[in-house]
Amino acid sequence: MSPLVLALVAGAVIGLALGALGGGGSVLAVPALIYLLGFTPAAATTAGLIIVTATSATALYAHARDGNLAWRTGALFTAAGIAPAFLAGAGAGHLPEPVLTVAFAAIAALAALRMLRPSPTALSARIHPAKAAGAGAGLGTVTGLLGVGGGFLAVPALVNVLGLRMRQAVGTSLLVITVNSLAALTARTGTGGDLRWEVIAPFTGAAILGAWDGKRLAAKLSGDTVQKMFAGVLLAVAAFMLVDVIT
């Protein structure tokens, strides 16, 4: 199968997951770029940020249009993550590739376990600034370091810490992901290695189209069913990456 076809298929799958779940789909972008398309871990995490930024911004527009976005709450959460995302993005290129791979595998496993748990429910409308800042900073660090959006962490935090309804949390998480990814990408400018735009461009385009379909899919299928299926894929990817590093 040619790199172009692989990029289109992988991008479509990741876009579907991101549009349907508000997060988690971007975790597959980096492994796909490494193992299917031959990117180095450093280049893959930078390319992942490009894909995540474009795809999340597109999905964000759709959710904002439907009123599923808490702008003020999202701004508070996002502001705490911008500096950590930038700093982590600048430092990611200095880490050994095995370290990046193991860290990414751990995040993929965490995302899967998070998806296998019952969906969170809003506790209250009261905002806890310290908890929001801590969660936002942690998410920004993960985004900058590993090139993932981190929506699987953002959505539960927005529900449990900031009291948003689930649908609002999904839309608001896309605002957080978009801004954090853009900050991390800015820090990596000129240090991403060979980004191979002939692969990244179709990958991103397919992911954007997939995100629109994912949003429609979410309205038709059980969210828990989609999450459990995707969690199984993530666990398999995490195990594969760890075995690859060990061997």
Side-chain angles (χ1 to χ4, degrees):
M1 193 176 294
S2 70
L4 175 59
V5 174
L6 286 172
L8 290 172
V9 172
V13 171
I14 288 161
L16 273 172
L18 186 62
L21 303 176
S26 61
V27 179
L28 279 183
V30 172
L33 289 166
I34 294 173
Y35 296 107
L36 295 180
L37 297 165
F39 280 61
T40 65
T45 52
T46 301
L49 286 170
I50 296 170
I51 294 163
V52 169
T53 301
T55 309
S56 297
T58 302
L60 171 64
Y61 169 77
H63 281 272
R65 183 190 59 188
D66 293 344
N68 298 327
L69 189 61
W71 287 101
R72 292 181 63 184
T73 302
L76 171 66
F77 198 89
T78 301
I82 293 176
F86 185 90
L87 293 174
H94 301 289
L95 292 176
E97 291 188 355
V99 173
L100 277 177
T101 302
V102 170
F104 196 94
I107 287 296
L110 178 61
L113 294 175
R114 173 66 258 179
M115 289 179 181
L116 289 173
R117 293 174 59 186
S119 298
T121 55
L123 298 179
S124 70
R126 181 184 177 187
I127 295 177
H128 302 276
K131 290 183 179 180
L139 179 63
T141 302
V142 169
T143 299
L145 188 65
L146 301 177
V148 300
F152 65 94
L153 297 174
V155 171
L158 287 167
V159 172
N160 293 327
V161 177
L162 300 182
L164 296 186
R165 300 188 310 275
M166 188 64 182
R167 186 165 294 182
Q168 264 194 325
V170 170
T172 305
S173 77
L174 291 166
L175 171 64
V176 179
I177 292 167
T178 300
V179 175
N180 283 350
S181 299
L182 188 59
L185 187 58
T186 301
R188 291 186 183 216
T189 301
T191 63
D194 180 15
L195 293 182
R196 294 168 53 195
W197 287 100
E198 72 278 6
V199 172
I200 296 173
F203 196 121
T204 304
I208 289 172
L209 293 175
W212 284 93
D213 290 334
K215 186 175 180 296
R216 290 194 289 268
L217 181 67
K220 297 178 180 179
L221 297 179
S222 165
D224 287 342
T225 299
V226 175
Q227 286 197 170
K228 287 177 181 177
M229 291 172 58
F230 197 73
V233 174
L234 283 180
L235 284 174
V237 169
F240 178 83
M241 294 181 79
L242 287 173
V243 169
D244 183 63
V245 171
I246 294 171
T247 58

